[in-house]
């Protein structure tokens, strides 16, 4: 059995997934998530770009094939590092950390009513707490 061909197919499936992620990112960045143009571009352009890139990789010289195919993987790594270091504070839609969630769920201090203050003062006056 030819394991080189099997390894190349597995590698290309990972590369195709990375390329789909990069294409989706740029389509959403340019056209937004909503809208007809964005949805059509997502349905039409992403598979078209993936197939075109895969065909290009098949026709590249053997010594450069893995290097050219790794470009989408490098782009995903670059986008991840960019988001981690530069866009961390601008991220939205993520769940809050446990400490942030606890701060939100803390009950505000109760206001003590005047009647309750009088009762408490009378108890202290009598010696009870």
């Amino acid at each position: 059995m030819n394991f080189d061909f099997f390894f190349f197919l597995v590698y290309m499936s990972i590369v195709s997934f990375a390329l789909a992620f990069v294409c989706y990112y740029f389509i959403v960045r340019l056209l937004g998530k909503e809208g007809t143009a964005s949805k059509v571009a997502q349905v039409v352009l992403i598979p078209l770009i993936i197939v075109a890139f895969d065909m290009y990789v098949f026709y590249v010289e053997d010594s450069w094939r893995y290097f050219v195919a790794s470009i989408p993987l490098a782009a995903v790594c670059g986008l991840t590092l960019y988001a981690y270091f530069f866009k961390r504070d601008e991220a939205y839609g993520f769940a809050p950390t446990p400490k942030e969630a606890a701060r939100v769920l803390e009950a505000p201090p109760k206001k003590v009513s005047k009647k309750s203050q009088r009762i408490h003062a009378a108890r202290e006056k009598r010696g009870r707490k």
Side-chain angles (χ1 to χ4, degrees):
M1 181 168 194
N2 190 357
F3 287 108
D4 293 336
F5 181 69
F6 177 73
F7 176 73
F8 185 70
L9 284 178
V10 171
Y11 183 70
M12 285 307 295
S13 65
I14 294 169
V15 167
S16 297
F17 181 76
L19 185 62
F21 179 78
V22 170
C23 290
Y24 177 76
Y25 173 79
F26 282 113
I27 287 173
V28 168
R29 193 89 161 139
L30 294 173
L31 302 174
K33 285 185 179 180
E34 304 296 325
T36 307
S38 176
K39 294 191 188 255
V40 168
Q42 290 173 20
V43 171
V44 174
L45 282 181
I46 292 175
L48 188 67
I49 291 171
I50 290 171
V51 169
F53 186 78
D54 287 347
M55 290 297 129
Y56 176 71
V57 169
F58 289 141
Y59 290 118
V60 171
E61 188 177 326
D62 287 339
S63 61
W64 288 90
R65 186 169 287 164
Y66 287 101
F67 178 74
V68 171
S70 66
I71 293 171
L73 296 173
V76 168
C77 291
L79 287 173
T80 303
L81 290 174
Y82 174 73
Y84 182 76
F85 287 114
F86 297 110
K87 295 290 186 178
R88 185 185 318 181
D89 296 335
E90 298 176 17
Y92 58 92
F94 295 106
T97 62
K99 286 185 179 181
E100 292 172 351
R103 257 186 258 130
V104 170
L105 295 177
E106 285 179 358
K110 292 183 179 179
K111 291 185 177 182
V112 182
S113 68
K114 291 182 181 180
K115 181 179 177 182
S116 178
Q117 287 176 348
R118 281 192 314 242
I119 293 171
H120 185 67
R123 284 184 183 163
E124 282 185 353
K125 195 175 187 183
R126 286 182 280 171
R128 288 197 261 166
K129 287 188 178 182

